Amino acid sequence: MKLLPLLILTAAFVPACASATGESFTKVGFDPLTVQRLAVVDGNNPTFKVDLRQQLVDAIMYEFFKKGWDVVERSNIQKALDEVKFQNGDVTQANPDQRQKLGQILNVQALAFVNIGGTADEMSITIKMVEPQSGDLLWMGTGDSDLNKGMAAITGAILGAGVGAVAGNQLGSSGAGAVIGGVAGGAVGAGLTPSAMENAKDLVKAICVNIPKRG
């Protein structure tokens, strides 16, 4: 019964370090002051869960806001998206008619489409800011980060094994309990941990550091 507290204490000191790299480019001659309002749109990539993507899209919106951009609130963007039907749900592949209609509904001069992809171990983010009518690319940022998810899964498996072992002892079968708990704990650990989320937000900052200032 004393095994679980020890395992929890050990897991607490397992680091989740990551290395985020990002870069961006601005169209030559682009004047940010020509854009009155901007909408940051989730590309709806199913690799990561919706709530996770929304947190990162909010972080991107915040980075634009810090640079003086007038950013449309997310709930209004969702209402507009509901009015525009995107093929296969992939907003980043919007055709000219869809892009223009979205821009008109939101009354914006720029759309920043966000694609969040990768694997359980590594996340990649690409942001393309386009002019709704012409489709011209005004600014683009991209980057990736090792979220160290493998270590998170190991930590989860250790904790799960400890929980399972305790449950197994109570049921008179410690081996079976440890195996079952290890599988369950590994599944929990494979989710995005708080430290991994911080790493993902650091990736957003690395990509958005050179967003053109407005004003």
Side-chain angles (χ1 to χ4, degrees), residues 174-196:
S174 60
V179 171
I180 294 171
V183 172
V188 172
L192 204 60
T193 63
S195 58

Side-chain angles (χ1 to χ4, degrees), residues 151-164 177-191 193:
M151 185 60 71
I154 292 172
T155 304
I158 292 173
L159 289 173
V163 172
V179 171
I180 294 171
V183 172
V188 172
T193 63

Side-chain angles (χ1 to χ4, degrees), residues 1-182:
M1 296 295 291
K2 295 181 179 181
L3 177 61
L4 183 57
L6 178 60
L7 289 172
I8 292 176
L9 180 61
T10 302
F13 287 96
V14 176
C17 53
S19 176
T21 59
E23 59 181 347
S24 65
F25 298 91
T26 304
K27 178 183 177 181
V28 176
F30 169 56
D31 181 2
L33 294 179
T34 61
V35 177
Q36 297 300 317
R37 301 180 78 218
L38 165 76
V40 181
V41 185
D42 177 11
N44 200 33
N45 187 318
T47 303
F48 294 97
K49 294 181 180 180
V50 175
D51 58 344
L52 185 153
R53 298 199 314 267
Q54 289 178 344
Q55 290 185 60
L56 295 180
V57 168
D58 283 348
I60 293 169
M61 292 172 64
Y62 178 66
E63 293 299 321
F64 274 100
F65 186 73
K66 287 196 303 182
K67 295 295 181 72
W69 294 79
D70 183 1
V71 184
V72 177
E73 206 277 325
R74 179 153 51 87
S75 63
N76 294 330
I77 295 174
Q78 187 56 54
K79 292 178 183 177
L81 290 174
D82 291 340
E83 294 187 38
V84 182
K85 304 300 180 182
F86 292 92
Q87 186 176 5
N88 299 322
D90 190 349
V91 180
T92 61
Q93 299 299 318
N95 62 44
D97 289 341
Q98 293 170 327
R99 185 186 64 241
Q100 291 171 14
K101 184 176 181 180
L102 185 60
Q104 291 170 356
I105 294 173
L106 291 170
N107 189 28
V108 297
Q109 293 73 48
L111 296 166
F113 293 110
V114 181
N115 185 47
I116 303 171
T119 67
D121 297 313
E122 184 175 10
M123 175 179 286
S124 63
I125 299 177
T126 299
I127 310 168
K128 294 181 180 180
M129 183 167 68
V130 301
E131 200 281 323
Q133 296 299 319
S134 66
D136 288 349
L137 185 63
L138 305 177
W139 176 86
M140 179 176 177
T142 185
D144 55 68
S145 176
D146 178 2
L147 301 180
N148 208 14
K149 293 303 296 290
M151 185 60 71
I154 292 172
T155 304
I158 292 173
L159 289 173
V163 172
V166 172
N169 281 329
Q170 292 174 343
L171 296 174
S173 177
S174 60
V179 171
I180 294 171

